[in-house]
Amino acid sequence: MLKKKNATLTPRGREETLNIPIDPAALLRHSRGERMDMEGVKTRFHKINEMRRDMNIEFATQQAARADILLHEEEGYLEADDGESTTNIAQREIVQHVDITTAAKHFNLELEFGPYRTRYTKNGAFLLLGGKRGHVAAFDWVRKKLLCEMNVMESVHDVTWLMNQTMYAAAQKNWVHVYDQNGTEIHCIKTMHRSVRLEYLSYHFLLNSAGENGFLSWMDVSVGQTVGNYNTRMGKVSVMTHNPWNAVTCVGGSKGVVSMWSPMMRDPLAKMLCHPVPITAIAIDPKGMQMATAGLDRRIKIWDVRQLEGPLETYNTNTAASEIELSQRGLLALSMGNVCEVYRRDNSSTEAQMKPYIRHRTNGPISSIRFCPYEDILGVGTAKGFVSLIVPGSGEPNFDTFEANPFQSRTQRQEEEVHRLLEKIPAEFITLNPTQIDEVDVPSAKARLEQKVKLLTMKPPKIDFEPRKRNRVSKAKLIKIKQNVKEARFRETANELRQIKEKLLAEDEAKAPTESADFIPLEPKSVLDRFKTKAKMKAAR
């Protein structure tokens, strides 16, 4: 019998784990904050629970940091030779030097019913086009497979996808119409009158519209009910977007002010003075951290939308930008007439050093620009059609299939619809800081407790009543009438207070856990109660 040398046996369950070093930067990126301070925890049981919770959080952080090694995809970018600039590289040169799959994503559609508004789905697999003169088309732009195409025979001001590629909405001349993937009209929303801009809040199932008369409307598409409809008092709203981080609608005004709206508030949640002139375009990055604004003063400003501070960066342009967009990797795209420019932002660079990363000239005025999620593609809608531009380094290379799956199957799509409906966030949770939802409103809780104590200890007030003096009524009878009225009103007030106290006590008993017959209170009523047996305590009850 052969035996291996230097072989050691270890008991089962005591195998030594291999310690793999973890990148400190990855740990810091996935960190969920410091451990809980145990100084305020009184009991040992709760201390053990909090320690176990901190250990689980630390283990999850380490596992997330270790999983970063699986994200092997990196974004690409254009790199020019010495003395050259990436701005001079045309799209035909990029197509000649990329693979066949990427080259097929660059195409040009010459259409006659523009100018066109464009929109990609959340996973970037489908494209929706809406022409001003009634042309609406939805198709799989990667496979070039048409879903539907029609002319609604009236003007189309904006389009947007709803839950997924199975439904979309179009803001037509008078109202907003909802269609399915075959082009069949499902619903006509007449509460959204003469809308010019549309946005869809995917986590809340809310369709947001802005009208020519300055009204903002929100409709819950899952139940078909209007959540909010308010007048912004800003005139025609032509510059609008929403923040993906907190689902707040941002509207740009003619006075250079960006106002932030929630469907639960009639007045804006916040206002930011961004430009001294009217705002022409506004965009927020997919992470909801930064906001880009463009004005007639020919300036592009980047703001910290979470802290409502800035501007963090300021860029000058030769012409006022009509459209602006931020990609998943931070690239900035803007349109000026028939010229589209893409910038790679660098905080260390100055305005003089800021040069376009890519520049493209179209055959007509640009009316819409959209970065395709998870693809290095920029969709440009013009007055004469649509152009798909290749912009290396614009899309996120590593995607989360539970959030957005570009290769989604039919079964996965159906399951996603069910999960999203079950996990729908109510419109009441739309605030500037969504992290405040899980915090305890201490002043309100304290005020409610004080009000409850006040009701339980309230006594009937004194009744002050003077009877009306009448002829042929003696003074003794007036005193008796006064006493009877006081007693009657005192009894009524006492009965109302007693009913309120009984109601409060009944609510407390309903919320309190039910006690079994063998329950013994932890704190005895008397010092000698600890010598009583269980049978005597039951008999005393």
Side-chain angles (χ1 to χ4, degrees):
M1 184 176 180
L2 299 176
K3 293 184 180 180
K4 293 183 179 180
K5 294 183 179 180
N6 301 329
T8 57
L9 298 177
T10 58
R12 187 176 182 181
R14 296 185 182 179
E15 292 85 357
E16 295 183 359
T17 57
L18 182 62
N19 293 326
I20 301 175
I22 304 175
D23 186 11
L27 277 175
L28 183 62
R29 185 169 59 254
H30 295 282
S31 175
R32 304 183 188 178
E34 298 179 356
R35 286 196 170 196
M36 182 177 177
D37 187 9
M38 298 294 177
E39 186 177 355
V41 182
K42 295 182 180 180
T43 63
R44 181 174 175 270
F45 174 75
H46 288 92
K47 285 184 179 180
I48 293 175
N49 283 346
E50 291 301 329
M51 291 174 62
R52 187 179 291 113
R53 176 175 171 273
D54 290 339
M55 291 173 62
N56 291 336
I57 291 175
E58 186 178 354
F59 176 73
T61 303
Q62 294 177 358
Q63 291 296 94
R66 287 193 180 99
D68 280 356
I69 196 174
L70 301 176
L71 306 178
H72 59 279
E73 298 291 342
E74 296 181 358
E75 70 276 11
Y77 56 91
L78 288 178
E79 187 174 355
D81 297 334
D82 295 338
E84 295 183 358
S85 175
T86 57
T87 309
N88 300 326
I89 300 177
Q91 286 290 311
R92 61 176 180 273
E93 299 181 23
I94 298 176
V95 171
Q96 292 174 358
H97 293 85
V98 296
D99 58 281
I100 299 176
T101 305
T102 306
K105 296 177 182 178
H106 169 68
F107 57 91
N108 185 7
L109 300 178
E110 295 184 0
L111 305 172
E112 302 176 356
F113 301 96
Y116 279 88
R117 300 288 298 178
T118 62
R119 191 80 64 160
Y120 289 98
T121 54
K122 192 175 181 179
N123 58 3
F126 293 85
L127 175 64
L128 180 63
L129 299 178
K132 186 69 177 293
R133 287 181 281 179
H135 181 215
V136 178
F139 59 99
D140 184 344
W141 68 275
V142 178
R143 302 176 183 176
K144 310 300 187 296
K145 182 180 179 181
L146 186 66
L147 296 181
C148 68
E149 184 181 14
M150 60 183 174
N151 196 309
V152 297
M153 304 305 292
E154 60 180 7
S155 60
V156 176
H157 301 278
D158 201 1
V159 291
T160 183
W161 294 102
L162 296 183
M163 293 181 293
N164 42 45
Q165 69 272 16
T166 58
M167 282 195 298
Y168 60 89
Q172 297 176 201
K173 180 180 179 181
N174 292 324
W175 304 296
V176 175
H177 297 257
V178 180
Y179 301 92
D180 66 357
Q181 59 184 352
N182 298 321
T184 306
E185 184 176 346
I186 300 175
H187 189 55
C188 176
I189 308 174
K190 293 190 176 181
T191 56
M192 297 180 176
H193 182 60
R194 301 185 73 86
S195 300
V196 293
R197 288 292 178 266
L198 293 177
E199 290 290 336
Y200 179 68
L201 314 180
S202 58
Y203 297 105
H204 304 77
F205 281 79
L206 292 180
L207 177 61
N208 184 204
S209 71
E212 288 183 353
N213 51 6
F215 274 80
L216 283 178
S217 300
W218 290 265
M219 171 171 278
D220 191 339
V221 297
S222 62
V223 294
Q225 293 182 354
T226 301
V227 178
N229 188 14
Y230 309 124
N231 188 1
T232 60
R233 298 179 292 275
M234 298 169 60
K236 182 179 178 181
V237 178
S238 58
V239 179
M240 185 184 77
T241 187
H242 82 281
N243 190 344
W245 180 57
N246 53 14
V248 170
T249 301
C250 299
V251 177
S254 59
K255 297 182 179 180
V257 176
V258 175
S259 55
M260 303 179 184
W261 297 80
S262 169
M264 294 292 107
M265 297 290 292
R266 186 170 295 274
D267 297 322
L269 301 176
K271 289 184 178 180
M272 291 181 65
L273 180 59
C274 299
H275 296 266
V277 294
I279 293 177
T280 58
I282 183 174
I284 298 179
D285 70 326
K287 296 180 181 179
M289 299 177 64
Q290 294 180 343
M291 177 177 66
T293 59
L296 288 178
D297 55 354
R298 298 180 297 177
R299 287 191 175 184
I300 308 295
K301 295 183 179 181
I302 309 297
W303 306 82
D304 187 352
V305 74
R306 291 194 179 186
Q307 302 294 333
L308 302 180
E309 295 177 352
L312 305 177
E313 307 168 28
T314 303
Y315 308 120
N316 291 330
T317 57
N318 297 327
T319 311
S322 59
E323 296 288 334
I324 193 170
E325 184 73 4
L326 290 170
S327 74
Q328 293 177 324
R329 302 300 298 180
L331 268 66
L332 174 66
L334 53 92
S335 63
M336 298 171 290
N338 64 339
V339 177
C340 176
E341 293 182 350
V342 181
Y343 292 85
R344 289 186 66 191
R345 294 160 48 215
D346 186 4
N347 297 332
S348 61
S349 63
T350 61
E351 295 179 2
Q353 296 175 347
M354 194 68 180
K355 294 182 179 180
Y357 175 53
I358 287 178
R359 180 186 288 134
H360 182 78
R361 190 180 299 273
T362 61
N363 57 356
I366 297 174
S367 57
S368 174
I369 54 174
R370 298 280 179 182
F371 278 107
C372 181
Y374 309 106
E375 293 283 354
D376 292 344
I377 297 297
L378 175 64
V380 180
T382 66
K384 296 184 179 180
F386 174 80
V387 183
S388 179
L389 304 179
I390 300 176
V391 183
S394 63
E396 176 63 42
N398 302 294
F399 55 87
D400 185 1
T401 55
F402 290 99
E403 177 66 19
N405 187 4
F407 309 102
Q408 190 178 58
S409 64
R410 182 178 179 181
T411 306
Q412 290 173 340
R413 176 181 59 78
Q414 293 173 350
E415 291 182 358
E416 184 191 23
E417 291 178 0
V418 176
H419 281 286
R420 289 195 178 276
L421 280 170
L422 294 174
E423 298 169 359
K424 185 180 76 169
I425 303 175
E428 292 79 9
F429 289 173
I430 298 179
T431 57
L432 279 178
N433 187 7
T435 59
Q436 291 179 350
I437 296 174
D438 57 351
E439 296 179 0
V440 179
D441 192 0
V442 178
S444 298
K446 186 177 180 181
R448 287 195 298 269
L449 182 61
E450 290 177 354
Q451 183 180 5
K452 184 177 178 181
V453 172
K454 186 177 179 181
L455 286 174
L456 290 175
T457 57
M458 185 180 295
K459 295 181 181 180
K462 294 181 180 181
I463 307 298
D464 188 10
F465 173 75
E466 288 292 335
R468 183 168 55 90
K469 294 181 180 181
R470 293 175 292 178
N471 295 332
R472 298 179 182 179
V473 177
S474 63
K475 188 175 182 180
K477 193 170 183 179
L478 288 175
I479 293 173
K480 189 175 182 181
I481 291 173
K482 179 179 180 180
Q483 186 178 1
N484 292 338
V485 172
K486 282 187 175 182
E487 290 178 357
R489 292 188 179 180
F490 183 85
R491 284 195 298 270
E492 291 177 2
T493 309
N495 290 333
E496 291 178 0
L497 290 176
R498 187 174 68 254
Q499 290 177 2
I500 293 173
K501 292 178 182 179
E502 289 177 355
K503 185 178 179 180
L504 290 174
L505 293 174
E507 291 178 356
D508 291 344
E509 290 179 0
K511 292 179 181 179
T514 56
E515 297 177 356
S516 61
D518 298 332
F519 175 75
I520 300 176
L522 296 177
E523 296 182 0
K525 297 180 180 179
S526 174
V527 180
L528 301 177
D529 284 347
R530 65 178 183 270
F531 298 107
K532 290 184 179 180
T533 61
K534 193 179 295 185
K536 288 184 179 181
M537 294 188 72
K538 289 182 180 180
R541 291 180 184 178

